[in-house]
Amino acid sequence: MTSSLALDGIKARQQKTWASGDYGAVAALIQPMSEALVQAADLSAGSRVLDVATGTGNAAIAAARCLCTVTGVDYVPELMDRGRARAAAEHLPVRFVECDAEALPCDDGEYDAVLSVVGVMFAPDQERAAAELTRVCRPGGTIALANWTPDGFIGELFRTVGRRVPPPPGVRAPVEWGNEPRLRELFGDRVTDLRVTRREFVFRFGSPEDFADYFRAHYGPTLKAFEALGEDGKLLHADLVDLVTRYDVATDGTIKVPSAYVEVLATRV
């Protein structure tokens, strides 16, 4: 079992990773995932909604469009600055608060719905993060998540990067949040009516090389991997080009990469 001190060190490195590059450029591509999750959660106007690991505010802004009272939380202030600017541009009153997903500064049962879109899944202490999601949701409230799956494209992307730059030892893979048995283990009897539905998001680029270049420039985990590899980064670039080519389903000379994720809906006991 990884010690709390080791987890704190991992978390500090994660913060630097997510602050590097321009995650907002990647988040902009996957905004439809947040819109779909909010619709699936069937939020009511006036509901108190918390978006955990909000990043640049995708799910928070989607919930605000439903006229909910929304708070987005994240431990990377640079990402939330982008979220504030986006919300202001759309005249949506989203509140953004810097905090740790494993220690939410919220009262028990404070929110009617708690959301996270490919965010909380990266918390190094998965049990603690799941406990916090349920703690701050009121009895009868909704927990709604979108998580990448272990067997989908993003799961394979993480493994591809991990073969060149191994992840920290002793920490469970984030994509375990995309596995139904693991989700049931994490939430246990704190929730009822847990529904896990497989969905698909499609990344669209001009070529496999365009994808590899985009993720090298903008996505913190791959950017940091390239920095760590130095000259050997060309090997990782070739790996990513090969990976995208294998998953590509386009027939028009561009690339279309289906990426599996799960839509998770549960009711707080």
Side-chain angles (χ1 to χ4, degrees):
M1 183 175 180
T2 307
S3 69
S4 59
L5 186 61
L7 288 173
D8 288 343
I10 291 167
K11 197 178 301 179
R13 290 194 295 275
Q14 283 183 332
Q15 285 177 287
K16 293 179 180 178
T17 295
W18 291 113
S20 67
D22 179 11
Y23 179 70
V26 178
L29 302 182
I30 62 172
Q31 174 70 36
M33 292 173 61
S34 293
E35 301 290 347
L37 183 70
V38 165
Q39 291 302 311
D42 194 23
L43 304 176
S44 299
S47 293
R48 300 162 300 165
V49 176
L50 180 69
D51 179 22
V52 179
T54 188
T56 57
N58 278 2
I61 289 169
R65 292 195 189 105
C66 297
L67 304 185
C68 297
T69 301
V70 184
T71 300
V73 296
D74 204 290
Y75 65 178
V76 183
E78 295 89 343
L79 297 182
M80 289 192 295
D81 286 343
R82 178 78 66 86
R84 289 187 184 95
R86 293 177 63 206
E90 296 193 36
H91 305 284
L92 296 171
V94 179
R95 183 171 71 106
F96 289 91
V97 177
E98 182 180 350
C99 74
D100 184 347
E102 297 173 9
L104 298 171
C106 311
D107 293 336
D108 295 355
E110 184 173 343
Y111 291 93
D112 300 303
V114 179
L115 317 177
S116 188
V117 175
V118 295
V120 74
M121 62 181 286
F122 291 98
D125 190 335
Q126 296 185 356
E127 285 78 10
R128 187 172 173 184
E132 281 293 273
L133 294 180
T134 52
R135 179 184 68 80
V136 302
C137 186
R138 68 166 174 81
T142 298
I143 295 171
L145 312 173
N147 302 324
W148 300 119
T149 67
D151 62 344
F153 171 74
I154 296 297
E156 187 57 38
L157 172 68
F158 292 155
R159 287 189 291 274
T160 298
V161 174
R163 284 191 285 271
R164 298 291 181 186
V165 181
V171 177
R172 301 185 71 146
V175 289
E176 290 193 27
W177 283 78
N179 177 275
E180 183 170 350
R182 176 58 174 159
L183 286 165
R184 293 191 180 280
E185 184 177 63
L186 284 170
F187 288 109
D189 59 5
R190 293 189 296 260
V191 302
T192 186
D193 192 27
L194 177 65
R195 289 161 283 159
V196 181
T197 306
R198 193 175 179 92
R199 303 292 188 199
E200 198 171 77
F201 175 80
V202 180
F203 286 100
R204 304 168 195 271
F205 282 86
S207 70
E209 290 78 11
D210 287 348
F211 176 95
D213 291 343
Y214 197 90
F215 269 65
R216 176 172 58 186
H218 300 300
Y219 191 57
T222 45
L223 182 151
K224 287 297 185 183
F226 275 103
E227 287 182 354
L229 289 167
E231 283 298 313
D232 286 340
K234 61 182 180 292
L235 300 175
L236 178 56
H237 191 275
D239 290 343
L240 295 180
V241 168
D242 176 68
L243 173 65
V244 172
T245 301
R246 287 189 283 114
Y247 274 81
D248 177 32
V249 298
T251 59
D252 61 358
T254 66
I255 66 158
K256 299 176 183 177
V257 183
S259 305
Y261 71 95
V262 290
E263 172 191 281
V264 184
L265 298 172
T267 301
R268 175 72 166 95
V269 171

